Amino acid sequence: QSEAKYRDLVENLRDVVYVVDNNGIVKYISPVVKSFIGYSASELVNKPFMHYLHPEEVQRALSGARNVLSGGSTAAEYRFVAKSGEVRWMHTSNRPIFEGGRVIGETGILTDITERKRAEEELRLSEERYRSLVDTADECIVVVQDGIIKFANPKTEEVTGYAAEELASSSFLDYLHPDDREAVVEAHERALKEGKAPYLEPFRMVAKNGDIRWLFRNTAL
């Protein structure tokens, strides 16, 4: 009855539970695996677990398996190749199975994280595109938080003569012409109070070489 309850629990989990022996041969895998990689449990049992990994993951997975067989435990993310040829990302956590004081195999849980990995990749590509846009823009783009410069793009370096490292963590007001500081501060405080960004008249900035540079500020809160 206990085994029946355990099997019922395992086979109704959304994650995949599996057992492999010391040679990496699948001895048990829960049926839900088919919804992830297209292979039924019967197709996987008595087959090498590594055969279903993406080729580039095999060496890393072997290293993890050796750790488990020596009595440790692991958690990692691997790519699997589904029956359709699609690559699926799975998170696995596994631990050794002991019998009579020696390791006879390992058991683990697979969680499908494909959608999360795809979202991470889309975010990475989006950030790369944004970074490329900002870095090649013909306008000065500056991020200021609490009056401190957090980021300045290459065009800002070109216009002001200051390197990004010099601008970072310094006060934005330090680079304004003394006669324009009060107007810029008042406009900024008004924008914060009203919850909208101001479109300002041109203001002056003092470049590193002392030249006066006229700029027009378009602000986003």
Side-chain angles (χ1 to χ4, degrees):
Q1 289 178 343
S2 177
E3 288 178 354
K5 289 178 181 178
Y6 176 74
R7 182 175 291 274
D8 183 63
L9 172 64
V10 166
E11 295 188 352
N12 284 283
L13 288 174
R14 296 186 62 183
D15 295 334
V16 178
V17 177
Y18 66 93
V19 175
V20 299
D21 65 16
N22 278 348
N23 296 312
I25 303 300
V26 178
K27 307 312 291 183
Y28 170 81
I29 192 161
S30 50
V32 72
V33 69
K34 186 172 183 178
S35 66
F36 294 145
I37 61 175
Y39 292 100
S40 66
S42 60
E43 290 178 284
L44 298 173
V45 170
N46 294 323
K47 303 287 178 53
F49 184 81
M50 296 292 175
H51 281 191
Y52 304 96
L53 285 172
H54 189 285
E56 295 177 4
E57 305 287 7
V58 171
Q59 290 303 315
R60 192 160 60 92
L62 284 172
S63 177
R66 284 192 289 269
N67 180 61
V68 174
L69 294 176
S70 65
S73 59
T74 63
E77 297 174 355
Y78 299 117
R79 288 168 292 175
F80 284 73
V81 180
K83 195 172 186 177
S84 65
E86 178 188 10
V87 174
R88 306 288 299 181
W89 277 95
M90 309 284 276
H91 177 276
T92 177
S93 56
N94 41 25
R95 60 180 180 80
I97 301 172
F98 291 94
E99 184 178 277
R102 65 186 184 90
V103 177
I104 61 170
E106 64 179 86
T107 183
I109 297 176
L110 293 173
T111 303
D112 191 312
I113 58 170
T114 304
E115 295 309 314
R116 192 198 82 195
K117 294 299 260 185
R118 286 174 178 169
E120 289 174 353
E121 178 63 11
E122 289 175 3
L123 177 61
R124 185 187 66 80
L125 292 174
S126 176
E127 289 176 345
E128 284 185 359
R129 288 192 292 267
Y130 175 76
R131 170 70 65 173
S132 176
L133 175 65
V134 168
D135 285 349
T136 58
D138 199 37
E139 292 80 26
C140 298
I141 299 177
V142 182
V143 176
V144 180
Q145 185 177 11
D146 297 326
I148 302 301
I149 297 173
K150 300 295 184 180
F151 169 81
N153 72 336
K155 186 64 176 181
T156 304
E157 298 179 69
E158 177 188 332
V159 169
T160 66
Y162 290 98
E165 294 77 15
E166 295 177 282
L167 295 168
S169 300
S170 60
S171 172
F172 180 74
L173 295 179
D174 289 346
Y175 304 98
L176 299 182
H177 190 285
D179 293 343
D180 291 345
R181 289 175 185 170
E182 185 177 351
V184 170
V185 171
E186 288 179 354
H188 179 66
E189 290 177 347
R190 185 170 61 253
L192 292 176
K193 183 178 180 180
E194 297 175 355
K196 59 183 181 181
Y199 287 82
L200 300 180
E201 293 295 326
F203 67 94
R204 288 164 291 180
M205 176 172 281
V206 182
K208 189 172 184 177
N209 63 4
D211 287 350
I212 303 300
R213 310 289 295 188
W214 281 93
L215 302 172
F216 179 87
R217 186 173 75 160
N218 183 355
T219 307
L221 298 177

